[in-house]
Amino acid sequence: MLVKLLCVGDIVGRPGRQMLADHLVHLVKEHDIDCTIVNAENVAGGSGLTNAIYDKLIKYGVNLITLGDHVYRKREIVNTLNSSSCIVRPANLSPLAAGKEYAIYQTKRGPKVAVITILGRMYMSMPGDNPLIAIDRILQKLPPGIDIVVVEIHAEATSEKICMGWHLDGRVSAVFGTHTHVTTADETVLPKGTAYITDLGMTGPHKSVLGRDIERVLQANITQMPFPFSIATEDLRLNGIIVTVESLTGRAVDIQRVCICGTHEPGQAYDEDDGKPDNYNNH
């Protein structure tokens, strides 16, 4: 059986959520997607995830949710991290950290998909244990009966992501990178059957600096003073990949980049307003 996975890059703020709300159902139907995986670590005002927004993502049709170095930015999400079966925190944090090291989704057609997130260590504000050693440990803990394994490496350095791809070639179905918010053009199926891309890119406003208002970020960099980084609102895009996997072998047979441009005009209302400002203070 061929199983199709849709993996969506870092969702930034309300504009990113709007793109998901507008386009996810259509994408799933058009491409016959069996499982949708999204990175949601920037979804709440640009940093972290709240319980209310978690509920929205599930309502929009997301099956598995990953987080990165902003995993605990909103403390309220801790209970959800512990109780939900469809969300993961980085697996190479302390064993005492809240949340699960992997999550499993059973597709409607039967095959089970597991997702694992690993933090890189180079230039990261929240470094974890050695990612290559950690992923070997987590793979050994997966229960039997998993047909497809997807690994996200949330890292700044492209070299760490590429190393993870080669380290896992033939052992998992797909490896994708997140965190930089810039889509790379190196999607490929590695020789032993693992789909790979260095970074999925960002889902949100692309007339920006990584999703934030351009002028605010310029001011902060020029003056070296703290400024609140409000979320930008223009040139909305959804970025990700579609991976096709043969469920019997767990090997990928195809990977394609996806980029959907939004239709919302600047200033228009974004998804269901939760009453909280869409900004992230960089103090």
Side-chain angles (χ1 to χ4, degrees):
M1 181 186 298
L2 293 180
V3 175
K4 287 191 174 183
L5 315 173
L6 172 65
C7 307
V8 178
D10 301 60
I11 303 166
V12 178
R14 192 172 296 132
R17 303 198 305 265
Q18 184 65 55
M19 288 300 293
L20 207 65
D22 284 351
H23 299 284
L24 183 57
V25 171
H26 174 71
L27 271 172
V28 168
K29 183 176 181 180
E30 180 183 7
H31 295 280
D32 196 22
I33 300 298
D34 295 286
C35 178
T36 299
I37 303 169
V38 306
N39 179 286
E41 77 141 10
N42 297 121
V43 75
S47 184
L49 173 64
T50 65
N51 291 322
I53 296 174
Y54 166 86
D55 291 337
K56 289 182 183 182
L57 297 180
I58 299 301
K59 185 182 72 173
Y60 296 156
V62 173
N63 304 125
L64 293 168
I65 298 171
T66 65
L67 295 166
D69 53 312
H70 295 320
V71 56
Y72 302 122
R73 186 72 69 167
K74 310 296 186 194
R75 289 287 299 176
E76 68 179 80
I77 201 63
V78 167
N79 287 338
T80 299
L81 286 171
N82 286 328
S83 62
S84 171
S85 61
C86 62
I87 186 170
V88 291
R89 51 93 164 164
N92 55 334
L93 298 180
S94 164
L96 301 179
K100 297 177 174 62
E101 295 177 325
Y102 60 85
I104 299 169
Y105 173 72
Q106 181 161 2
T107 64
K108 292 181 179 179
R109 295 194 294 155
K112 293 181 179 179
V113 180
V115 67
I116 304 165
T117 302
I118 294 287
L119 281 181
R121 294 196 296 182
M122 298 174 65
Y123 317 120
M124 296 293 287
S125 60
M126 180 193 274
D129 295 337
N130 185 307
L132 300 176
I133 294 174
I135 192 61
D136 290 343
R137 174 179 60 84
I138 301 303
L139 289 176
Q140 291 177 359
K141 294 175 64 174
L142 290 178
I146 304 299
D147 303 285
I148 295 166
V149 179
V150 178
V151 174
E152 171 189 18
I153 176 162
H154 193 80
E156 186 75 30
T158 55
S159 58
E160 276 195 297
K161 299 178 184 181
I162 293 168
C163 280
M164 183 64 75
W166 286 111
H167 182 61
L168 294 178
D169 185 23
R171 301 166 60 198
V172 303
S173 305
V175 175
F176 64 80
T178 56
H179 182 67
T180 70
H181 293 205
V182 178
T183 308
T184 57
D186 60 340
E187 72 278 9
T188 188
V189 177
L190 296 172
K192 297 179 183 178
T194 295
Y196 174 82
I197 188 170
T198 298
D199 204 289
L200 295 181
M202 178 183 75
T203 294
H206 281 248
K207 187 177 180 181
S208 67
V209 179
L210 306 184
R212 275 70 174 186
D213 179 79
I214 296 169
E215 290 304 317
R216 294 289 184 92
V217 179
L218 286 176
Q219 285 180 316
N221 280 273
I222 291 169
T223 66
Q224 295 185 298
M225 296 174 62
F227 285 86
F229 287 173
S230 55
I231 300 298
T233 59
E234 299 182 52
D235 188 12
L236 305 189
R237 304 181 203 174
L238 181 153
N239 279 302
I241 55 171
I242 295 174
V243 178
T244 304
V245 181
E246 210 296 311
S247 63
L248 184 63
T249 63
R251 292 190 173 190
V253 297
D254 187 59
I255 177 173
Q256 299 178 34
R257 270 183 287 150
V258 174
C259 182
I260 305 295
C261 295
T263 56
H264 280 71
E265 297 296 327
Q268 202 169 341
Y270 290 105
D271 84 338
E272 301 166 15
D273 195 337
D274 50 21
K276 298 179 181 180
D278 243 6
N279 57 55
Y280 165 54
N281 196 303
N282 69 328
H283 282 277

